[in-house]
Amino acid sequence: MNIILFGAPGAGKGTQSALLVERRTMKHISTGDIFRSHIKQQTELGRSAKVYMDQGKLVPDSIVVGMVEDVLKGLGSQNFILDGFPRTVPQAEALEGMLKKNGLEIGKALFLEVPMDDLMGRLTGRRVCSGCGATYHIASKPTQRAGVCDLCGSEVIQRADDKEDVIRTRLEAYETSTAPLKAYFAAQGKFSAVGGTGQTEDVYRRLVGQM
Ligand code: AMP
């Protein structure tokens, strides 16, 4: 089954996607990761997206939709997870057209539910590996050696948009633009909420229980 995984920044979409990739051999399509890779490679798309990302704002729909369309065109038969897309109702509407064109279907839109009060702590403490993208948390999931990724040995850093003032803007963007997707997918009979607090493995069990 192809799924959309959505929720507020810091809800655990990346962590749960990594488990689904490993255990269910699904393909992970994260628009945030694609943008970060473009920024690293200093492409034109990366330069355009960075202006918005650094401020915690959403990248305009016109840029995101074209980028996802390219990814969907190249997909094989492997089931996929859309992580961080769609993030607005117009993106969800555009996605419907793109899926139809490519003979693809989404089975479920799974919403990772985490109380707003928990998100700031999750995001300010989050660290990511600059090499393989593995995620850590300074309190709940520290690296074994300070600043060094347990998996690949690369440097572990704080994302530029995981600073408190930028996080506030990202959470506002989520409330205004992304939260309305709950009703959008509910109207299609594809919405399921999954409790996103507690142990990673417990969240994973709840998540796959809805697939
Ligand atoms: P993420 O890694 O999903 O937290 O995304 C990081 C940043 O990339 C967001 O704060 C946005 O600036 C941008 N971004 C990622 N996906 C989208 C999207 N679907 N629409 C607009 N902006 C996005």
Side-chain angles (χ1 to χ4, degrees), residues 115-137:
M116 269 293 162
D117 286 351
D118 293 359
L119 297 170
M120 186 58 85
R122 283 187 178 209
L123 289 165
T124 51
R126 178 161 74 178
R127 298 292 182 270
V128 293
C129 173
S130 57
C132 70
T135 55
Y136 298 91
H137 188 279

Side-chain angles (χ1 to χ4, degrees), residues 152-204:
C152 76
S154 299
E155 189 191 3
V156 169
I157 55 163
Q158 183 173 36
R159 263 171 56 171
D161 59 352
D162 277 348
K163 306 269 161 65
E164 206 166 319
D165 52 334
V166 184
I167 292 171
R168 279 187 213 292
T169 310
R170 290 168 62 204
L171 292 174
E172 278 165 24
Y174 160 75
E175 285 283 9
T176 311
S177 304
T178 309
L181 287 174
K182 287 190 257 184
Y184 181 91
F185 292 124
Q188 297 185 339
K190 294 194 169 164
F191 176 82
S192 287
V194 175
T197 50
Q199 297 294 316
T200 301
E201 288 295 337
D202 293 334
V203 177
Y204 180 76

Side-chain angles (χ1 to χ4, degrees), residues 4 15-16 29 31 33 50 58 67 78-79 107 162 203:
I4 289 167
T15 301
Q16 293 300 325
I29 304 168
T31 41
D33 284 353
K50 190 175 185 304
L58 293 184
M67 186 177 86
Q78 197 178 4
N79 284 337
D162 277 348
V203 177

Side-chain angles (χ1 to χ4, degrees), residues 61 64-66 68-69 72 85-86 88-101 184:
D61 291 341
V64 189
V65 166
V68 173
E69 184 148 36
L72 292 181
F85 182 92
T88 66
V89 170
Q91 287 180 18
E93 288 165 351
L95 175 64
E96 281 190 42
M98 293 190 276
L99 291 170
K100 207 174 260 173
K101 218 156 90 185
Y184 181 91

